[in-house]
Amino acid sequence: MSLLTAAGVSKSFAGIRALDDVGIEVAVGELVGLIGPNGAGKTTFFNCLLGMLRPDEGTVSFDGHDLSRIPTHRRAKLGIGRTFQRIELFGGMSVREHLLVAERAHRGEGRLWKDIVGRGRVTAAERERADAVLDRLGLLADAERPIESLSLGRGRLVEIGRALMTDPRLLLLDEPSSGLDHQETEELSAVLRAVNLDEGVAILLVEHDVAMVRALVSRVFVLDFGTLIASGPTETVFADAGVRRAYLGAES
């Protein structure tokens, strides 16, 4: 069953075609990759899926809902979570506080302004839910630590935890291994695999780390200069001569 469907998505900036008739599908509970060289249009495509950009042409649907007129915050409430290519964390807040703010923003309980000025009262239920997510990610021991004290790899996990607080059915992850060393990438991969298998969360992964993509995803889509040049089972796509030339820099 298709959870996310994008068809014929095109987007231009100042006459330059950033996306040209791009279409993908992600099934319920599936872990799918989206790869391509720098400038291929991957982040632009993500922003079209989320409503941060409006496609010039094409449609995006999620769980049967046409998203064309649905703003970004309502797409999140439908069950779409996201992390960003540049890590987006807030100084002066603890690890747990990052998850609590995400929880309140998602629930729309009207207390977010108190969180911003440090006056929100944390309920037992909120703390329990945040700590359950932190435990799942191996971050419970870091709950009270200031976010600035964490390594980049642990910070990436906090971003994923924050996204999980919104009860996503689909996670859009934009280069989550960027800046991580080999061990941190392995830890991140294990977390993503567990979230996908144990929680049933579908994942669309944009990633440059070829080894990570091949180890995690069942299918992969390849963008080059805004055009979808290949899609299919992971190993079949990576063996394609056009993909090897465009993305891997290999000769056919």
Side-chain angles (χ1 to χ4, degrees), residues 84 87-95 97-99 101-102 112 116 145-149 155 158-159 162:
F84 292 84
I87 195 164
E88 299 282 348
L89 299 171
F90 306 106
M93 292 175 60
S94 72
V95 170
E97 285 170 340
H98 274 77
L99 272 64
V101 169
L112 189 57
I116 294 171
R145 291 181 61 182
I147 200 69
E148 298 93 332
S149 70
V158 173
E159 282 200 310
R162 189 169 55 186

Side-chain angles (χ1 to χ4, degrees), residues 7-106:
V9 174
S10 298
K11 183 68 179 177
S12 297
F13 299 99
I16 298 174
R17 198 82 156 173
L19 296 172
D20 188 10
D21 194 27
V22 178
I24 71 165
E25 288 190 5
V26 181
V28 173
E30 192 175 20
L31 209 168
V32 178
L34 176 63
I35 67 171
N38 288 330
K42 303 183 297 297
T43 297
T44 298
F45 184 62
F46 258 30
N47 287 338
C48 288
L49 297 180
L50 284 159
M52 300 173 75
L53 290 173
R54 176 172 290 186
D56 299 327
E57 302 170 26
T59 60
V60 179
S61 64
F62 179 76
D63 195 23
H65 298 275
D66 181 357
L67 299 184
S68 59
R69 297 186 179 276
I70 297 179
T72 300
H73 70 278
R74 285 186 56 203
R75 298 185 194 203
K77 288 185 179 294
L78 287 175
I80 303 175
R82 180 193 180 160
T83 66
F84 292 84
Q85 185 174 351
R86 285 187 59 188
I87 195 164
E88 299 282 348
L89 299 171
F90 306 106
M93 292 175 60
S94 72
V95 170
R96 183 186 287 117
E97 285 170 340
H98 274 77
L99 272 64
L100 291 170
V101 169
E103 160 82 0
R104 290 187 175 179
H106 178 63

